[in-house]
Amino acid sequence: MSESASPVKFRPEEIPAELGGLRMTKQRKEVYCLLMDQRDHPTAQDVFIRAKERMPNISLATVYNCLEALVNHELVRQVNFDRAPSRYCPNLEEHVHFQDLETGAIHDVVFKKGININDFLELPEGVEVRELELTLKGIMPSSTKKN
Amino acid sequence: MSESASPVKFRPEEIPAELGGLRMTKQRKEVYCLLMDQRDHPTAQDVFIRAKERMPNISLATVYNCLEALVNHELVRQVNFDRAPSRYCPNLEEHVHFQDLETGAIHDVVFKKGININDFLELPEGVEVRELELTLKGIMPSSTKKN
DNA sequence: AGAAAGAATTGGAACAATTCTAATTAAATT
DNA sequence: AATTTAATTAGAATTGTTCCAATTCTTTCT
């Protein structure tokens, strides 16, 4: 599980002009850095508010556009809990999400090493899984929270 | 995996006046029967359209109210795929959902017998999982579809 | 049974997240 | 430098859902 803020600050000027086939504009760099920097699964609104600190003229539409572009180019993942506002996550490792019902914080959880989807699901022969989204909600013991 | 229409028709008049602590009104019976009858994971809109066939005066608000009541009393499960309209499912067995990307159809998938969440996820010690939602998207071989 | 209280239903308004639109600005290509 | 193409912007529109106040149904109480 991880909620670690990165020790290095990501700076827009260090982001290459293109990333994963996506042209990185000023706004996209900003949004991307901010996600990399504060990996707390913000909503589009959260991103908007944070982005405005450094780019006061950025619009919410642009934030949505940037997030969509980043998601489409698989630089960022979109995370949905029920029908709550989507959240965004720059962790590209395969993982799932756990929401602490007490704090609302979202944590990344990984699969056991070597585990395969057919090891735990009764999928019919030949089914090809293209996307998997697993979300958990529950209670974290406070001891674990600190880490 | 199942998408089986039940062989018996569920009739509102056969539903008891109370179910799982929920007073079953005329509308709730209708909504519940319709879900039990056609287990294809309809949206609230779908339910509304179907319900109107037998109850032309039912309102969309009532359908939402009924579905909410049924979900709260755990007679029905709410299923979310990304931010698409919620769908409703009367299958109370523990299961997850697979959407066929070709047809849009949603199928129920069960866990392997005896599998435990800690068998496939790297959850920190002491975390108590209260809710789990797993959704899959992919392609079903047409041979499998027929069944 | 009739009155009173409580709950559910209804239609429409309100809401919140997201998407769309048309105009402007910025970047890339010629 | 001119032209084409793409991205950004503000605001309007859309969509699924929830809220609201009025009415209708049930249930409970005399």
Side-chain angles (χ1 to χ4, degrees):
Chain A
M1 236 159 182
S2 78
E3 179 78 18
S4 48
S6 95
V8 255
K9 267 261 173 259
F10 285 80
R11 310 193 132 277
E13 47 278 21
E14 288 156 11
I15 306 281
E18 197 177 303
L19 217 53
L22 179 67
R23 205 181 112 203
M24 293 301 280
T25 63
K26 207 154 58 75
Q27 292 74 347
R28 287 173 186 164
K29 285 176 181 173
E30 187 57 45
V31 168
Y32 182 64
C33 278
L34 166 170
L35 287 171
M36 289 297 274
D37 234 54
Q38 239 178 294
R39 301 171 149 248
D40 60 348
H41 306 86
T43 63
Q45 272 295 335
D46 295 335
V47 171
F48 180 46
I49 289 163
R50 289 180 198 172
K52 274 205 288 200
E53 285 172 26
R54 306 185 67 228
M55 277 187 106
N57 296 321
I58 198 170
S59 80
L60 181 56
T62 300
V63 169
Y64 273 103
N65 289 342
C66 291
L67 291 169
E68 187 188 31
L70 292 166
V71 168
N72 288 340
H73 287 76
E74 304 188 18
L75 297 167
V76 157
R77 285 186 46 193
Q78 186 169 5
V79 179
N80 296 300
F81 273 85
D82 306 321
R83 293 193 46 83
S86 289
R87 297 171 171 277
Y88 297 87
C89 169
N91 180 357
L92 300 178
E93 304 297 310
E94 175 161 79
H95 69 285
V96 307
H97 293 99
F98 174 94
Q99 181 165 43
D100 184 337
L101 289 168
E102 278 166 352
T103 64
I106 291 169
H107 304 273
D108 293 353
V109 175
V110 296
F111 283 100
K112 283 243 143 98
K113 200 144 189 142
I115 203 92
N116 183 285
I117 193 166
N118 288 296
D119 296 340
F120 61 94
L121 286 184
E122 210 66 79
L123 280 168
E125 284 283 311
V127 161
E128 185 196 335
V129 173
R130 294 265 176 88
E131 289 173 53
L132 176 156
E133 178 156 69
L134 171 54
T135 53
L136 307 164
K137 292 186 195 179
I139 306 294
M140 285 187 86
S142 40
S143 52
T144 313
K145 263 173 208 174
K146 316 260 151 100
N147 305 333
Chain B
M1 234 162 186
S2 77
E3 179 80 20
S4 48
S6 95
V8 255
K9 268 261 174 256
F10 285 81
R11 310 193 134 279
E13 47 278 21
E14 288 155 13
I15 306 280
E18 197 177 303
L19 216 55
L22 179 67
R23 202 181 113 202
M24 293 302 279
T25 62
K26 207 155 59 76
Q27 293 70 352
R28 285 174 187 163
K29 285 177 181 174
E30 186 57 45
V31 167
Y32 183 63
C33 278
L34 165 172
L35 287 171
M36 289 297 274
D37 234 55
Q38 239 179 296
R39 302 171 148 247
D40 60 349
H41 305 88
T43 63
Q45 272 295 336
D46 296 334
V47 171
F48 180 46
I49 290 163
R50 291 179 198 173
K52 275 204 289 200
E53 286 172 25
R54 306 185 69 228
M55 277 187 104
N57 296 323
I58 197 170
S59 81
L60 181 57
T62 299
V63 169
Y64 273 103
N65 289 341
C66 290
L67 290 169
E68 188 187 30
L70 292 167
V71 168
N72 287 340
H73 287 75
E74 304 189 17
L75 296 169
V76 156
R77 285 185 46 191
Q78 184 169 7
V79 179
N80 297 300
F81 272 84
D82 307 320
R83 293 193 46 81
S86 289
R87 296 171 171 278
Y88 297 87
C89 169
N91 181 357
L92 299 177
E93 303 295 311
E94 176 162 77
H95 69 283
V96 307
H97 293 99
F98 175 93
Q99 181 165 44
D100 184 336
L101 290 167
E102 278 166 352
T103 65
I106 292 169
H107 303 272
D108 294 353
V109 175
V110 296
F111 283 101
K112 281 244 144 98
K113 201 145 188 138
I115 203 90
N116 184 285
I117 193 167
N118 288 296
D119 296 339
F120 61 93
L121 287 183
E122 209 65 81
L123 280 168
E125 284 283 311
V127 160
E128 184 196 335
V129 173
R130 295 265 176 88
E131 290 173 53
L132 177 156
E133 178 156 70
L134 171 54
T135 54
L136 308 163
K137 291 186 197 179
I139 307 293
M140 284 188 89
S142 39
S143 52
T144 313
K145 261 174 209 173
K146 316 264 150 100
N147 305 333

